[in-house]
Amino acid sequence: MSDNNLNRFMGGSPGQVLLRLIFLSFVVGIILAALNLNPIDLVHMAIEFVERLWNMGFHALGRLGGYLAAGAVVVIPIWILLRLMAVGRGR
């Protein structure tokens, strides 16, 4: 892979990407510490969530659909507004 392809894949030069990842990791670490969470707790929470979904069966699918619809009511109009504003700026 050439340097240009590598930069495009990584979203910038490897050095810049590494610095951004280090900075973001530090910020996320501070936030997790402030919330008194550790990464293994997050893994356990995700596993428990999936287990609860599995145990609830099809009722869970209906609930997820409700969450999707509720989120779409907010997200879709904002996205349309942002796209219309971008068209107005000539993008």
Side-chain angles (χ1 to χ4, degrees), residues 52-75:
R52 276 186 270 135
L53 285 178
W54 182 265
N55 291 334
M56 289 186 341
F58 290 107
H59 178 68
L61 294 176
R63 183 174 283 179
L64 286 177
Y67 292 155
L68 177 66
V73 166
V74 174
V75 170

Side-chain angles (χ1 to χ4, degrees), residues 2-79:
S2 72
D3 284 341
N4 192 25
N5 289 338
L6 180 63
N7 288 352
R8 189 175 6 190
F9 172 74
M10 293 186 70
S13 73
Q16 289 174 336
V17 172
L18 180 64
L19 287 176
R20 269 189 264 149
L21 290 174
I22 289 170
F23 175 74
L24 287 173
S25 295
F26 182 71
V27 170
V28 169
I30 289 172
I31 293 169
L32 288 175
L35 296 173
N36 198 24
L37 292 172
N38 83 39
I40 199 70
D41 290 338
L42 296 175
V43 171
H44 288 300
M45 289 168 52
I47 291 171
E48 289 173 7
F49 176 73
V50 171
E51 286 176 347
R52 276 186 270 135
L53 285 178
W54 182 265
N55 291 334
M56 289 186 341
F58 290 107
H59 178 68
L61 294 176
R63 183 174 283 179
L64 286 177
Y67 292 155
L68 177 66
V73 166
V74 174
V75 170
I76 300 300
I78 292 172
W79 176 78

